Amino acid sequence: MTFKRLAAFAGAGVLALGIVSCSSTGGAPEGSGEGSGGGTVDTPRMTIAMITHEVPGDSFWDLIRKGAEAAAQKDNIELRYSNDPEAPNQANLVQSAVDSGVDGIAVTLAKPDAMAPAVAAAQAADIPVVAFNSGFDNFKQMGVQGYFGQDERLAGIAAGERLTADGAQKVLCVIQEQGQVALESRCAGVTEGFQGQTEILNVNSRDMPSVESTMTAKLQQDPEVSHVVALGAPIALTAVQSKSNAGSDATIVTFDTNAALVDAIESGDVEWAVDQQPYLQGYLAIDALWLYLSNKNLIGGGEPTLTGPSFIDSSNIDAVAELARGGTR
């Protein structure tokens, strides 16, 4: 699947999948704490743990959680959400969920090697595990029964091909966490798909003033950078400020969206975004476990279920803008 094919279906795909993510559940519920949810099905009450590598302050994860809560409400599930950006701590949260005897676990695999022992412990306890958001390249070998997200390398290639079509000359791909497999795969894909020069810039998203100053300095030092590729909405919005600080003419593009990023696309500060539909990822991860536990169904039959990529730009932003401001896109 190349950029040309993705571009042809971007508008329709974004709208159609947006409708799916706001289905008969009535959208995301207001509650957000542990144990949120309450049934509309007549299957027995289940407990599912969702454990992510969420970085505090990144609103991307609010969308994941809202999707999970909507599925939990529909499926009569007690949802236990927890997160830690440090892989050993995230693994400990998985082990705690195993020890507490949950019925299923949905987990991100941003650093698979660190997560493998805890995932194996869940499997040894006959607790089904699905992965979402991160882990496309690793979930099968870890014995995880499903994956909901995008192929990050494919998404990167599509972005690289679009950059070529846009006339980009030199691309700065900004990685906000070194060693995070999804982010590394995105920039590797951009490099593969782009016909110009790609340079990687590593920053630390837990220190946003440092991110801003690092990008500002780079844009000041290298006026040949024609495009900055951010790998998350907060980094993209910071890049907009860095561009202004540096007096740069670089175009800002990004992976992932939030309500503020939608505004930036509407204003022209950000040219386009690659959308992986986080609300849908959270929803499907929980719903897949319910289907397996209640009826032994396997969504995707053991193969990854892709929620992206598609492009959001000025041509289709109106289709998702209101949904984004409502907190589901």
Side-chain angles (χ1 to χ4, degrees):
M1 185 184 299
T2 64
F3 158 63
K4 292 180 180 179
R5 183 178 174 188
L6 285 166
F9 292 98
V14 167
L15 182 58
L17 287 169
I19 292 169
V20 169
S21 67
C22 296
S23 63
S24 60
T25 63
E30 293 298 321
S32 60
E34 180 176 310
S36 62
T40 60
V41 298
D42 60 1
T43 52
R45 185 77 163 166
M46 303 173 189
T47 301
I48 290 178
M50 172 171 273
I51 301 152
T52 78
H53 64 281
E54 173 185 345
V55 176
D58 187 346
S59 57
F60 174 89
W61 295 98
D62 295 340
L63 302 177
I64 293 264
R65 189 167 179 172
K66 283 187 176 182
E69 288 170 348
Q73 183 180 52
K74 177 181 74 69
D75 295 337
N76 192 22
I77 284 169
E78 177 188 344
L79 178 65
R80 298 180 181 176
Y81 182 95
S82 60
N83 60 278
D84 199 296
E86 298 294 338
N89 296 339
Q90 187 193 8
N92 288 338
L93 290 173
V94 174
Q95 185 62 58
S96 294
V98 172
D99 295 340
S100 71
V102 298
D103 297 299
I105 295 174
V107 66
T108 58
L109 301 174
K111 295 184 178 177
D113 290 344
M115 299 301 296
V119 169
Q123 293 161 340
D126 292 325
I127 299 173
V129 180
V130 300
F132 65 99
N133 181 259
S134 296
F136 175 87
D137 293 319
N138 306 92
F139 82 96
K140 282 187 178 181
Q141 67 192 54
M142 293 174 68
V144 173
Q145 65 180 218
Y147 171 81
F148 305 95
Q150 68 183 359
D151 178 338
E152 301 292 3
R153 176 178 162 272
L154 172 65
I157 290 172
E161 291 179 347
R162 177 153 184 166
L163 288 162
T164 298
D166 288 350
Q169 299 298 312
K170 182 175 181 179
V171 164
L172 187 68
C173 195
V174 183
I175 296 178
Q176 68 262 32
E177 183 183 354
Q178 278 186 276
Q180 212 269 53
V181 292
L183 303 181
E184 302 279 357
S185 293
R186 287 178 181 182
C187 280
V190 168
T191 301
E192 185 176 347
F194 179 49
Q195 294 181 10
Q197 180 183 355
T198 304
E199 182 175 339
I200 307 298
L201 180 68
N202 288 293
V203 297
N204 180 5
S205 64
R206 298 180 207 178
D207 183 357
M208 292 306 286
S210 172
V211 173
E212 181 179 326
S213 62
T214 299
M215 288 194 290
T216 296
K218 178 59 182 176
L219 292 173
Q220 287 173 333
Q221 294 164 6
D222 192 353
E224 293 184 1
V225 173
S226 64
H227 288 67
V228 176
V229 180
L231 303 185
I235 303 299
L237 296 170
T238 303
V240 171
Q241 185 59 53
S242 295
K243 171 184 173 178
S244 176
N245 296 344
S248 170
D249 293 326
T251 298
I252 311 299
V253 301
T254 191
F255 288 72
D256 299 338
T257 63
N258 60 20
L261 197 281
V262 166
D263 291 340
I265 292 177
E266 288 184 318
S267 70
D269 288 333
V270 174
E271 187 74 12
W272 46 259
V274 179
D275 181 27
Q276 63 172 309
Q277 302 187 107
Y279 180 96
L280 190 60
Q281 291 175 11
Y283 186 98
L284 289 175
I286 299 305
D287 207 38
L289 285 167
W290 172 72
L291 284 166
Y292 179 77
L293 289 164
S294 63
N295 204 46
K296 292 297 180 285
N297 296 122
L298 285 173
I299 297 179
E303 296 299 317
T305 300
L306 300 184
T307 63
S310 59
F311 288 97
I312 297 177
D313 57 24
S314 59
S315 71
N316 58 19
I317 190 67
D318 290 344
V320 296
E322 199 61 34
L323 295 169
R325 294 186 183 104
T328 60
R329 287 304 302 269

